[in-house]
Amino acid sequence: MKITIGHLYPELLNLYGDSGNICCLQKRLEWRGIQAEICSLSAGNPIDFRHMDLILLGGSSDREQALACRYLKETKYEFKEFVENDGVVLAICGGYQLLGKYYQNQYNTVEGLNILDIYTDWESKRLVQNIVIHNPIFNSPGVGFENHGGRTHIGGYTPFGKVLAGYGNTEDSGHEGVTYKNVIGTYLHGPLLPKNPEVCDYLLSQALKRKYGEPVPLSPLPDELEYRANYETANHSPLKYNGYQIRKSLFRRRSTASKRK
């Protein structure tokens, strides 16, 4: 088995360590004996989305984000077709904003890719701190670091999670990120996936199911370090919350887990 992962414009969209997300996806496949092909999709070069199973769209500063958006508009219809055909996408911060109708920065309004019916306004107050969210499909909370001036309005879409600590999409909506089909858009940096192994495995599972036409079970991994990082981030976030009880079994080496190479 093999999964092909496309890293969109890593020279432009890698401000917050998004290469760490690529490494996490790759290693969690390889530890299970599944081949991972990583394609660095550079700006200005053609992209064949038909050969991609999973796309990472990372974050950047305003200048690089505008450049990336300009290049992506040349292939936005193919990108949208990939999304509508259940292609798996992880879009982070600036990449998340690019999926919408438009996004604002301090100086102007930039037309987005219009893949999702969302939009992002700009406010002078930056939303900066650790963030903790709850998504009912995962046992552990989603954790990361947010740093954005944008306020993303997702309309009737399902959010990636409910904010337990932090700001989220608009500071006061109580929601973070967006989901649509096999797309996750989020403001969680960190990078996101190493501290949230369940999210990583969810993306991989969806990509495998889409490619092979049926669910592909993922063997368990010994994730003590990953869940410890998740736990520590959640319990040291600036805005405390009550009730986070992580199962002790998450810190034990599972007897059925294969050792990592």
Side-chain angles (χ1 to χ4, degrees), residues 229-248:
N230 179 283
Y231 176 86
E232 293 297 333
T233 303
N235 282 278
H236 290 85
S237 50
L239 293 180
K240 290 285 187 177
Y241 69 97
N242 296 319
Y244 178 35
Q245 298 292 329
I246 189 164
R247 291 182 290 122
K248 291 182 179 179

Side-chain angles (χ1 to χ4, degrees), residues 66-130:
L67 283 172
C69 188
R70 187 181 72 189
Y71 285 119
L72 277 172
K73 284 178 181 176
E74 298 175 4
T75 189
K76 70 176 184 178
Y77 297 110
E78 292 82 0
F79 194 2
K80 185 174 179 63
E81 184 179 16
F82 177 78
V83 168
E84 294 300 328
N85 288 331
D86 296 322
V88 181
V89 178
L90 175 61
I92 297 174
C93 198
Y96 169 28
Q97 296 175 356
L98 286 177
L99 297 179
K101 294 187 292 186
Y102 71 83
Y103 69 90
Q104 293 178 339
N105 56 38
Q106 185 176 356
Y107 305 104
N108 53 30
T109 299
V110 180
E111 181 185 0
L113 301 176
N114 208 28
I115 292 174
L116 301 182
D117 188 16
I118 64 176
Y119 63 92
T120 301
D121 294 327
W122 180 85
E123 294 187 19
S124 59
K125 177 186 174 182
R126 292 195 70 82
L127 307 180
V128 184
Q129 68 172 46
N130 282 339

Side-chain angles (χ1 to χ4, degrees), residues 19-35:
S19 59
N21 290 316
I22 293 292
C23 290
C24 188
L25 290 162
Q26 180 179 3
K27 296 305 292 185
R28 293 185 74 83
L29 285 169
E30 293 175 347
W31 286 333
R32 293 168 163 124
I34 301 172
Q35 184 179 354

Side-chain angles (χ1 to χ4, degrees), residues 106-227:
Q106 185 176 356
Y107 305 104
N108 53 30
T109 299
V110 180
E111 181 185 0
L113 301 176
N114 208 28
I115 292 174
L116 301 182
D117 188 16
I118 64 176
Y119 63 92
T120 301
D121 294 327
W122 180 85
E123 294 187 19
S124 59
K125 177 186 174 182
R126 292 195 70 82
L127 307 180
V128 184
Q129 68 172 46
N130 282 339
I131 178 170
V132 185
I133 66 171
H134 170 69
N135 184 314
I137 73 171
F138 303 123
N139 290 317
S140 57
V143 300
F145 180 76
E146 59 180 331
N147 180 2
H148 54 102
R151 307 300 196 267
T152 299
H153 303 269
I154 66 170
Y157 289 107
T158 300
F160 180 40
K162 176 184 177 181
V163 175
L164 302 178
Y167 296 109
N169 285 335
T170 65
E171 185 177 8
D172 57 4
S173 70
H175 296 138
E176 201 289 318
V178 69
T179 60
Y180 172 72
K181 291 181 175 282
N182 283 333
V183 175
I184 293 177
T186 179
Y187 278 114
L188 271 63
H189 302 296
L192 168 69
L193 298 181
K195 292 196 289 286
N196 298 279
E198 288 182 270
V199 178
C200 188
D201 286 353
Y202 171 81
L203 294 169
L204 296 176
S205 293
Q206 296 303 103
L208 286 163
K209 180 180 179 181
R210 175 178 182 263
K211 182 169 188 176
Y212 293 103
E214 61 183 6
V216 177
L218 293 177
S219 57
L221 294 173
D223 286 328
E224 295 93 340
L225 292 177
E226 288 84 349
Y227 282 114

